[in-house]
Amino acid sequence: MERPSWDEYFMEMAVLTAKRSTCMRRQVGAVIVKDKHIIATGYNGAPRGIAHCEERGGCLRQKMNVPSGERHELCMALHAEQNAIIQAATLGQSIEGATIYVTHQPCVICAKMLINAGMNRIVVKEGYPDSLAVEMLEEAGLSIIMLEKEDK
């Protein structure tokens, strides 16, 4: 068995974190890492004290046939990246200069937050249909690193 690279190691943690997601459409996990230490984790789901979509009888965006990558304001959930940033802030941890590992490419809302949080690297496992997010990240000097899929 080959030892995983640091990127593979932390991405596996993001994949595990995604398993806590309560989103009915897409389970996303995020791990913020600085100097090879985990600062915070997050997954997508309803805010504290708010019923999850499953408890509400389904996803509002699905019911309205909203395509993936559009109309984020209709979603009850916070995104994984948002929850990770909030967790770091709650714990008093600076994430400036950190790397975020996310199971899916950030949306434009999360991209703006990652830019202003001073993120240094964004490593993802899968894409997401939001070209504006990619454009903004590139303009800010942040590129999305797509982690190569393992051959099994």
Side-chain angles (χ1 to χ4, degrees):
M1 188 168 132
E2 203 172 305
R3 189 174 185 204
S5 69
W6 285 110
D7 283 345
E8 292 167 338
Y9 175 71
F10 290 121
M11 185 57 73
E12 283 301 312
M13 291 190 180
V15 169
L16 178 62
T17 303
K19 292 179 180 180
R20 290 281 306 152
S21 170
T22 59
C23 181
M24 298 175 77
R25 289 180 79 166
R26 183 185 316 256
Q27 287 69 49
V28 181
V31 176
I32 298 175
V33 176
K34 196 169 181 181
D35 300 323
K36 297 181 183 156
H37 294 283
I38 295 172
I39 303 298
T41 63
Y43 54 86
N44 54 333
R48 269 190 246 194
I50 303 294
H52 299 286
C53 293
E54 193 171 86
E55 299 165 335
R56 294 176 176 278
C59 171
L60 177 61
R61 292 179 68 211
Q62 260 179 336
K63 289 177 184 176
M64 296 176 71
N65 293 316
V66 176
S68 189
E70 296 179 18
R71 306 286 317 267
H72 297 288
E73 73 278 7
L74 296 175
C75 181
M76 294 296 296
L78 284 147
H79 289 187
E81 303 94 324
Q82 295 167 341
N83 270 325
I85 291 168
I86 291 166
Q87 185 183 83
T90 301
L91 297 172
Q93 296 292 315
S94 171
I95 57 174
E96 190 158 358
T99 296
I100 189 164
Y101 295 86
V102 193
T103 55
H104 297 76
Q105 173 202 305
C107 71
V108 69
I109 296 167
C110 291
K112 290 185 276 188
M113 292 178 75
L114 295 172
I115 291 166
N116 272 10
M119 217 43 65
N120 194 34
R121 289 177 74 226
I122 301 169
V123 181
V124 303
K125 186 174 181 176
E126 295 181 35
Y128 186 72
D130 194 333
S131 57
L132 182 57
V134 175
E135 289 175 32
M136 289 185 75
L137 289 165
E138 285 176 356
E139 187 175 334
L142 278 167
S143 58
I144 296 171
I145 300 162
M146 184 71 72
L147 196 58
E148 296 292 322
K149 293 186 179 175
E150 299 173 26
D151 296 327
K152 295 238 175 185

